[in-house]
Amino acid sequence: MAGKSSKKQAQRNAAILRQTYLLVLPVLGLSFLRRVLQKGSWLSYVPLHFPAAACLYMLEKSGRPQYDEKGQLVREGFDLKQPGLTEYMFDVIYLSIFADVGHIALGTLKLWYVLLLVPVYLAYRAKTIAGPLISNLLGSRSRGEPRNDAKDAAQATKSKRMAKREKNADRVQFKYR
């Protein structure tokens, strides 16, 4: 039973990577074939695939389980189903597959503009996460409002519950047997 969750995660990561490669490689091969038959420029083809290749490399390095010579699990890799950065990496891969399918079907590279949505979305997420944090850190003075001492004094007053607790804490308590 020891290491059962690690083995499950290793199997799940290997299956996810296998499924990703089964999706990416045929589409990439057909796109490459289309580029050769079209006799298009390689200067636009390689940089367009760089973000997906970088994401695939990072997922491979961090998520691939490692085994020793005896077949024992050494490292299960990071969970590829976790939310956050891994989701964004898979999104970049899927968007590039979408653009490649468009290139195969329509013969145009204009669908690669959809990858411009990634930095726009990341900037939006950073703004929604960091915006309230920055405004709380800077307080009302960043908006040019004068400092109001009456408002600060009102916030400093204690709730009824806290006042009652402090009052009861000062009393001497007796323990009965």
Side-chain angles (χ1 to χ4, degrees):
M1 289 301 252
K4 187 174 181 182
S5 65
S6 296
K7 291 177 186 175
K8 280 185 178 181
Q9 182 177 335
Q11 291 173 350
R12 188 173 55 235
N13 283 354
I16 290 170
L17 288 172
R18 183 173 39 257
Q19 181 183 10
T20 304
Y21 282 124
L22 286 176
L23 185 66
V24 168
L25 292 178
V27 172
L28 191 62
L30 288 174
S31 177
F32 178 76
L33 185 64
R34 173 76 178 206
R35 178 58 70 175
V36 168
L37 293 177
Q38 236 180 1
K39 296 181 182 175
S41 170
W42 289 99
L43 294 177
S44 64
Y45 189 72
V46 174
L48 292 175
H49 285 89
F50 181 75
C55 290
L56 201 57
Y57 176 77
M58 291 300 295
L59 290 172
E60 175 72 32
K61 284 306 225 182
S62 64
R64 177 69 65 182
Q66 293 179 352
Y67 297 96
D68 62 1
E69 298 84 25
K70 297 177 184 177
Q72 298 294 324
L73 183 64
V74 175
R75 187 178 74 87
E76 70 269 7
F78 293 119
D79 187 13
L80 295 179
K81 284 287 189 181
Q82 67 183 349
L85 190 58
T86 55
E87 280 182 336
Y88 296 139
M89 287 186 196
F90 279 114
D91 289 344
V92 168
I93 292 169
Y94 296 145
L95 286 174
S96 65
I97 289 172
F98 170 74
D100 270 337
V101 168
H103 172 67
I104 294 166
L106 304 174
T108 181
L109 293 176
K110 291 183 181 178
L111 288 175
W112 281 95
Y113 288 125
V114 77
L115 277 179
L116 294 176
L117 295 176
V118 174
V120 170
Y121 178 71
L122 290 177
Y124 167 74
R125 290 289 296 167
K127 181 183 175 265
T128 57
I129 291 171
L133 179 67
I134 291 173
S135 66
N136 285 341
L137 288 176
L138 296 178
S140 64
R141 286 177 262 169
S142 67
R143 289 180 238 129
E145 297 175 4
R147 190 170 176 176
N148 190 355
D149 291 329
K151 188 192 297 184
D152 292 339
Q155 289 177 350
T157 60
K158 299 174 188 160
S159 66
K160 290 181 182 180
R161 182 177 178 202
M162 289 301 295
K164 185 176 178 181
R165 278 190 174 180
E166 287 180 1
K167 183 179 122 184
N168 290 339
D170 292 339
R171 284 194 326 192
V172 178
Q173 297 183 356
F174 296 100
K175 289 186 178 179
Y176 298 101
R177 291 188 211 191

